[in-house]
Amino acid sequence: MGEWFLVLAGGAVGAPARYLIGVAARDRLPASLHWGTFLANMAAALLLGFLVQAGTQGALGATGQALLSTGFCGALSTWSTFSKEVLALTDARRLARAGGYLLATVAFGLGLSFAGGALAQAIW
């Protein structure tokens, strides 16, 4: 089976997961922030940190990397939507909110990536 098919299969699960996170966030959290995008990106950051470290420990081969890291996490995370939302906040002159959203996404995303990696390292 080609790597491209594994990426496709992972993406076919990751994209609906991102959509469902967005729907759940919209229905349950205040609309003052783009919670769906934020939560999907944080979940992807945590999982990708775990998967990358698992891969370096030899626990995840090329097949797993293509399916889970590139396919699933690539479709779950959404840099383009995040960028659009930051620009929309900036255009609406909500600069503090745009800056906070930008900083929180980068800081928490990196932190969760490191946490995922540390978890995988503790397991393997």
Side-chain angles (χ1 to χ4, degrees):
M1 185 178 325
E3 262 187 36
W4 69 271
F5 184 77
L6 294 168
V7 172
L8 177 69
V13 177
R18 180 177 76 210
Y19 171 77
L20 292 173
I21 289 169
V23 169
R26 184 182 62 230
D27 293 345
R28 292 172 179 81
L29 298 170
S32 58
L33 186 64
H34 303 284
W35 287 107
T37 303
F38 181 78
L39 293 172
N41 283 340
M42 296 307 102
L46 178 67
L47 182 58
L48 189 58
F50 180 88
L51 293 170
V52 167
Q53 185 61 38
T56 63
Q57 300 292 323
L60 192 65
T63 299
Q65 289 288 353
L67 178 69
L68 299 172
S69 298
T70 305
F72 181 78
C73 288
L76 179 62
S77 65
T78 174
W79 184 260
S80 57
T81 301
F82 164 69
S83 299
K84 177 193 68 89
E85 291 166 351
V86 170
L87 290 174
L89 288 169
T90 303
D91 287 345
R93 304 223 185 272
R94 300 179 81 185
L95 301 180
R97 186 159 302 223
Y101 184 34
L102 174 68
L103 290 174
T105 297
V106 172
F108 283 110
L110 286 173
L112 286 168
S113 292
F114 284 115
L119 179 62
Q121 191 169 24
I123 292 171
W124 283 282

